[in-house]
Amino acid sequence: MEQRRTVLLADTSTEFRILLREAMEKTGEFWVDVAQTGDEVLEKVQEQEPDILIMDVILPGLDGLSALRELQELGYAPMTILTSAFVSDQTLAEATELGAAYFLPKPFRMDTLLDRMLKARVTHMLHDAGMPANISGYQYLREAILITAADPSVLNKAVTKILYPEIARRYGTTALRVERCIRSAIETAWDRASPETLPKYFGCTVSSQRGKPSNAEFIALLAERLTLEDDQALRA
């Protein structure tokens, strides 16, 4: 039986749920269940423990933000992408505080959602590894992991001549700043990581006794984990 990533899609629009569900399941990568209310989200997350929760902020009864807060209090933290046709700075701030990986304004294209779902997986990994989202190296590191997962050969070449300059070009900065900020972000995450996090993401290749991994080692290990998850999701 094919193993797919499980998604819970919560939205009040029946038409939107049908279209989005069909589009995601058509990729062959996802199995999608749906919910219409915040209370239904709480029930289904506890029953199914989905890999990904895509939820509109505005839901009947318990709204999306309140549902996310209650899930955290119950000990459930699925990778979450919040959506809404109405976006405010306060809502964005609260979504970030509650650990939402992305906030996607409506309307959006399906390819945009799939891209955000991939980036959200990396975001979830970095959060789990103890890395705060408010440090500058966070975005650079996420980009480096995505680039490396798509093309592992970049780490076989001169990282300082290829990977860092490409990230710098995308963010309008310098390769030296990218390198330094990634280093700082890794050091921050390493100091904050729980004892369970190291073997979960890095296996036996690194440990607190051996010291912090290099930039390239950290990027390579998380990019490899991302790729392995993709492979496993497509195998029987």
Side-chain angles (χ1 to χ4, degrees):
M1 183 176 181
E2 187 178 89
Q3 181 181 356
R4 303 185 182 192
R5 289 191 189 87
T6 56
V7 178
L8 178 60
L9 171 62
D11 197 278
T12 56
S13 169
T14 302
E15 182 180 4
F16 180 78
R17 291 197 310 270
I18 292 173
L19 290 174
L20 205 56
R21 182 179 192 173
E22 289 180 348
M24 282 192 287
E25 292 191 336
K26 189 176 180 181
T27 68
E29 298 181 21
F30 308 104
W31 179 87
V32 184
D33 195 8
V34 297
Q36 300 182 54
T37 69
D39 292 319
E40 195 175 358
V41 168
L42 293 182
E43 180 182 340
K44 291 198 171 185
V45 167
Q46 292 178 79
E47 289 177 352
Q48 303 172 6
E49 298 190 23
D51 299 313
I52 305 169
L53 171 60
I54 302 173
M55 177 168 57
D56 198 313
V57 171
I58 301 176
L59 293 173
L62 198 66
D63 64 74
L65 292 173
S66 298
L68 190 56
R69 184 178 294 104
E70 289 205 21
L71 285 172
Q72 287 191 342
E73 292 174 356
L74 291 168
Y76 293 89
M79 187 182 74
T80 303
I81 298 176
L82 291 175
T83 67
S84 181
F86 306 97
V87 183
S88 68
D89 291 340
Q90 180 179 349
T91 302
L92 289 173
E94 191 170 359
T96 301
E97 182 182 349
L98 291 171
Y102 267 99
F103 196 109
L104 196 57
K106 289 181 175 180
F108 53 80
R109 291 166 52 93
M110 184 60 199
D111 56 355
T112 300
L113 175 61
L114 292 174
D115 176 70
R116 294 299 184 275
M117 290 171 73
L118 174 59
K119 290 182 178 179
R121 288 169 56 203
V122 180
T123 295
H124 192 71
M125 289 166 58
L126 293 177
H127 282 172
D128 198 26
M131 187 170 296
N134 60 350
I135 56 177
S136 56
Y138 175 89
Q139 290 189 346
Y140 302 153
L141 185 55
R142 184 177 62 191
E143 202 72 24
I145 293 168
L146 289 167
I147 292 172
T148 304
D151 182 11
S153 69
V154 297
L155 291 183
N156 297 328
K157 305 169 185 176
V159 173
T160 55
K161 294 182 179 179
I162 298 175
L163 185 60
Y164 297 152
E166 173 59 23
I167 297 170
R169 182 189 65 79
R170 297 183 184 189
Y171 285 90
T173 185
T174 66
L176 181 59
R177 174 172 172 76
V178 168
E179 180 178 13
R180 287 178 175 175
C181 288
I182 286 179
R183 183 72 245 153
S184 177
I186 291 173
E187 290 175 352
T188 299
W190 205 254
D191 291 338
R192 290 164 52 102
S194 66
E196 296 80 15
T197 297
L198 301 184
K200 176 180 179 180
Y201 287 105
F202 306 106
C204 300
T205 58
V206 294
S207 68
S208 56
Q209 289 76 26
R210 292 176 57 188
K212 303 176 181 69
S214 67
N215 287 13
E217 187 176 22
F218 190 97
I219 293 166
L221 288 168
L222 289 188
E224 181 180 17
R225 180 180 176 87
L226 192 66
T227 302
L228 287 173
E229 288 178 356
D230 285 337
D231 291 342
Q232 290 170 358
L234 295 175
R235 291 176 181 174

